């Protein structure tokens, strides 16, 4: 193994959907992910892939208030969107093999750490008279943890050792607020230098 090493750099960008678990029926929120990474292969198949990513996570949820909630404010329904942006550092163990002369399939798995840098929590309340009231606050206000960590996995198809398309997933292990944990699925396009 000491006689073999192959290092390359890559850039990737794509879209994702995210929500949180342990919070009932929560909808996925669309988002984005962009970043750079390094591939270090020990041999023809096994390697590691550290990256530096900018990734949006969050969720959407809407519903009706129970009749006994906030009677004085005459609230009927809510529509919440939480959009957080993290700097994320995934470290993945990768396994690649040739599908054909120009195509490689790469599987990856490992973990990530992330830190929230900005975010907006938006709540649009509809009152019984039909009027709307919009509230907007920082997503990382009191009680919301900026630090996140979890498991990451993915698969990618690489063409000609340059271009790739891949699927990824993050599963938060740390509760960022109450018992809520982040969950994200992404689709990325990459270029290897």
């Amino acid at each position: 193994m000491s006689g073999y090493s192959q290092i390359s750099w890559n850039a990737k960008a794509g879209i994702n959907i995210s929500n949180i678990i342990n919070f009932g029926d929560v909808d996925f929120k669309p988002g984005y992910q962009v970043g750079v990474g390094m591939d270090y292969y020990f041999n023809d198949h096994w390697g590691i892939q550290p990256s530096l990513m900018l990734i949006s996570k969050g969720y959407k949820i809407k519903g009706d208030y129970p009749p006994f909630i906030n009677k004085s404010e005459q609230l009927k329904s809510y529509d919440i969107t939480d959009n957080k942006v993290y700097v994320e550092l995934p470290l993945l163990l990768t396994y690649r093999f040739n599908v054909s002369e120009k195509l490689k399939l790469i599987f990856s798995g490992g973990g990530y750490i992330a830190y929230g840098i900005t975010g907006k929590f938006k709540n649009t309340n509809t009152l019984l008279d039909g009027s709307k009231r919009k509230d907007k606050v920082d997503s990382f206000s009191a009680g919301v943890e900026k630090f996140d960590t979890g498991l990451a996995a993915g698969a990618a198809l690489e063409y000609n050792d340059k271009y790739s398309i891949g699927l990824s997933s993050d599963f938060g292990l740390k509760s960022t607020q109450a018992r809520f944990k982040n969950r994200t699925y992404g689709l990325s396009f990459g270029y290897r230098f």
Side-chain angles (χ1 to χ4, degrees):
M1 242 199 277
S2 60
Y4 184 102
S5 67
Q6 183 181 354
I7 296 177
S8 61
W9 300 90
N10 63 71
K12 48 191 162 186
I15 57 174
N16 66 34
I17 55 172
S18 61
N19 71 359
I20 53 175
I21 59 172
N22 299 330
F23 192 56
D25 189 17
V26 181
D27 295 326
F28 283 98
K29 179 198 73 70
Y32 62 89
Q33 52 196 39
V34 61
V36 294
M38 181 188 82
D39 290 297
Y40 180 83
Y41 277 90
F42 308 112
N43 55 40
D44 284 335
H45 299 291
W46 292 98
I48 57 171
Q49 188 181 75
S51 300
L52 176 64
M53 304 289 295
L54 190 66
I55 181 169
S56 68
K57 300 183 181 186
Y59 63 92
K60 292 173 72 73
I61 186 169
K62 60 173 126 179
D64 293 328
Y65 285 107
F68 55 85
I69 297 288
N70 292 319
K71 281 188 177 180
S72 61
E73 296 187 55
Q74 297 292 297
L75 296 175
K76 179 184 177 185
S77 64
Y78 57 89
D79 187 347
I80 293 171
T81 300
D82 193 8
N83 186 34
K84 300 181 178 83
V85 179
Y86 289 86
V87 173
E88 185 170 294
L89 300 168
L91 178 59
L92 305 175
L93 177 66
T94 60
Y95 180 81
R96 68 179 177 180
F97 62 91
N98 293 334
V99 177
S100 68
E101 188 178 322
K102 294 195 172 186
L103 282 177
K104 288 187 173 111
L105 188 57
I106 303 166
F107 293 103
S108 58
Y112 74 88
I113 57 172
Y115 188 79
I117 56 172
T118 188
K120 287 289 178 202
F121 179 92
K122 301 175 186 175
N123 183 10
T124 302
N125 286 304
T126 302
L127 281 64
L128 291 176
D129 64 7
S131 62
K132 295 189 183 296
R133 188 179 72 202
K134 296 183 180 182
D135 299 311
K136 191 184 294 187
V137 296
D138 183 353
S139 289
F140 296 105
S141 55
V144 181
E145 176 65 50
K146 289 188 173 187
F147 181 72
D148 186 25
T149 185
L151 300 176
L157 192 62
E158 188 175 81
Y159 175 73
N160 209 24
D161 291 326
K162 287 286 182 189
Y163 308 99
S164 66
I165 181 170
L167 298 172
S168 62
S169 57
D170 285 357
F171 301 97
L173 295 177
K174 184 178 189 309
S175 297
T176 55
Q177 180 182 6
R179 298 176 299 112
F180 313 149
K181 297 176 183 177
N182 290 320
R183 175 172 57 180
T184 309
Y185 301 100
L187 170 68
S188 293
F189 300 92
Y191 179 79
R192 186 185 306 281
F193 299 99

